[in-house]
Amino acid sequence: GQWKTPKVGDALTAADGSQRQWATVPFKDGTLNHKALAGGYAFFTVKAAAECVMILEAAGHTMVLVNGEPRVGDIYQTGYVKVPVLLKKGDNEFLFQGARGSLRAKLVEPKAAAQLHLGDVTAPNLLIGEPVDTHAAVVVLNATPTTLHGLAIAAWLPDGQEIKTPLPPLPPLASHKAGFRLQGPAQAQEGTLAVQLRLEKLEAGKASKIDTGKLTLQVRKPDQTHDRTFLSSIDGSVQYYAVVPAKPGQDPAAQPGLVLTLHGASVEARGQAAAYAAKPGLHIVAPTNRRPYGFDWEDWGRLDALEVLQLAQKELGTDPRRTYLTGHSMGGHGAWHVGVTFPDRFAAIGPSAGWVSMWSYAGAKKATQM
């Protein structure tokens, strides 16, 4: 029906025929806890003295309508979802759809027209003795109601070359995970390395600084578990996978095998890889399904697994006849799903605690076809 600003006591009829009422509940220190937020709604009015852009930092909701405009939520409460929103002069309405019974929300002034957000970073580990030529990615926020052109990220390592990576046009009020290139000399010892970042805008042939930031990368030995980044051929984004390098096998001249291991819900590649000890003659490779929950290793998750498999086979020089597939929980489901869809890619599969479908796992009723 048509939206109507709610008042305390207003009644609504739910889909099951039951009656629900709007009620006032405490909102303390930016946090709201209530059982009705498990699928229910929370409504706020925010007064602004003038039209302005603010950064909404919220978690625990599936989505939010800001003056009727739908914006992305943070259902799993990661805490790294920041959304630029346009406030009009006067009253502004925020309608949050709850997910799991709690909601955190606050509005923060942006630092500049565009800014770096370092809470959601995709970055590699560097390996001792290997020159640095790789990619990383950070989030860039457009805190204006207009499209921004001419943005670029400059990145450099100590004693490394400054590389400028142009960004595509950034739509109004957008949040964009921006990839950039890193180059530098090989490192001689374990430890950390600082990457300096500068967000800049090119106008009339001149670059002006908008924001700065710093990333810290781990430097590891080649035989240690590590993360590798790559530019995805699926959509051009920067993604990563984790590797547990093989220990020497009985025949040092033999090609190593490869185990592709798929993570469960709320895990990602580096956590999955950390669960394994190194195996003689077998590299263990863990992709990330795009996100810790991702796509249940279907759709884009399946494509990501196959892309990582192809990259790892080439980079690690593995024996295609000794390629194996496993996974746990959601990853066990992925092992069944990927294994039966592409049986020619694997010598064997070993699903662990996998489920056949969301219907059998969650017990939900299938939608009736109309």
Side-chain angles (χ1 to χ4, degrees), residues 291-335:
R291 285 293 186 180
Y293 292 87
F295 301 88
D296 291 336
W297 298 108
E298 300 176 21
D299 197 65
W300 286 51
R302 178 186 71 243
L303 296 177
D304 186 74
L306 293 175
E307 184 172 42
V308 167
L309 175 62
Q310 185 177 14
L311 279 169
Q313 286 177 318
K314 181 178 179 180
E315 291 183 0
L316 300 173
T318 60
D319 184 348
R321 299 168 300 174
R322 297 177 59 230
T323 302
Y324 311 97
L325 175 66
T326 188
H328 178 71
S329 190
M330 184 179 76
H333 165 72

Side-chain angles (χ1 to χ4, degrees), residues 18-248:
S18 62
Q19 289 287 309
R20 310 291 173 89
Q21 282 190 329
W22 285 100
T24 301
V25 294
F27 181 62
K28 186 177 180 181
D29 299 328
T31 302
L32 180 62
N33 293 289
H34 198 281
K35 61 181 181 180
L37 275 178
Y41 292 84
F43 176 80
F44 298 84
T45 300
V46 176
K47 189 178 290 291
E51 182 178 280
C52 63
V53 173
M54 300 288 282
I55 307 298
L56 175 63
E57 298 181 5
H61 58 307
T62 59
M63 65 171 291
V64 57
L65 292 168
V66 182
N67 293 326
E69 181 178 287
R71 304 307 301 270
V72 68
D74 184 6
I75 185 173
Y76 296 118
Q77 303 185 51
T78 63
Y80 55 60
V81 178
K82 296 186 178 184
V83 181
V85 296
L86 179 64
L87 303 187
K88 62 185 180 180
K89 182 179 179 179
D91 288 342
N92 295 266
E93 296 185 335
F94 287 72
L95 181 65
F96 292 87
Q97 183 175 11
R100 298 184 173 187
S102 67
L103 174 71
R104 301 192 310 272
K106 65 179 179 178
L107 290 166
V108 179
E109 288 190 32
K111 294 189 294 182
Q115 65 186 60
L116 299 169
H117 168 31
L118 304 182
D120 180 18
V121 173
T122 301
N125 299 136
L126 307 182
L127 298 181
I128 293 174
E130 293 189 10
V132 179
D133 189 358
T134 185
H135 294 83
V138 298
V139 173
V140 179
L141 304 177
N142 177 358
T144 76
T146 59
T147 299
L148 292 179
H149 298 270
L151 295 180
I153 292 179
W156 64 97
L157 293 159
D159 302 322
Q161 179 183 0
E162 179 179 299
I163 303 291
K164 288 188 181 183
T165 304
L167 304 186
L170 208 57
L173 307 173
S175 171
H176 174 65
K177 189 74 173 280
F180 56 91
R181 194 170 179 182
L182 289 173
Q183 286 186 325
Q187 301 301 302
Q189 60 185 12
E190 286 183 82
T192 59
L193 206 62
V195 178
Q196 303 295 331
L197 302 178
R198 184 176 66 250
L199 179 64
E200 58 185 37
K201 182 175 174 61
L202 184 65
E203 289 183 303
K206 283 190 173 183
S208 58
K209 181 178 69 175
I210 302 176
D211 195 10
T212 60
K214 183 175 74 172
L215 301 181
T216 301
L217 303 185
Q218 297 287 327
V219 182
R220 297 186 172 176
K221 298 177 182 177
D223 61 352
Q224 290 178 319
T225 299
H226 59 271
D227 300 340
R228 299 186 177 206
T229 54
F230 63 96
L231 279 181
S232 172
S233 61
I234 300 170
D235 59 357
S237 64
V238 176
Q239 302 294 329
Y240 91 99
Y241 65 96
V243 179
V244 183
K247 293 169 66 175

Side-chain angles (χ1 to χ4, degrees), residues 348-370:
I349 69 171
S352 168
W355 34 270
V356 176
S357 69
M358 282 302 294
W359 313 114
S360 62
Y361 172 68
K365 294 181 180 179
K366 290 187 179 181
T368 304
Q369 291 186 342
M370 300 299 289

Side-chain angles (χ1 to χ4, degrees), residues 229-297:
T229 54
F230 63 96
L231 279 181
S232 172
S233 61
I234 300 170
D235 59 357
S237 64
V238 176
Q239 302 294 329
Y240 91 99
Y241 65 96
V243 179
V244 183
K247 293 169 66 175
Q250 290 183 340
D251 181 2
Q255 276 185 293
L258 185 152
V259 177
L260 188 72
T261 178
L262 310 182
H263 64 76
S266 83
V267 187
E268 58 178 89
R270 62 178 59 92
Q272 182 76 355
Y276 287 85
K279 311 296 181 187
L282 281 174
H283 292 297
I284 297 171
V285 173
T288 292
N289 193 18
R290 288 301 176 104
R291 285 293 186 180
Y293 292 87
F295 301 88
D296 291 336
W297 298 108

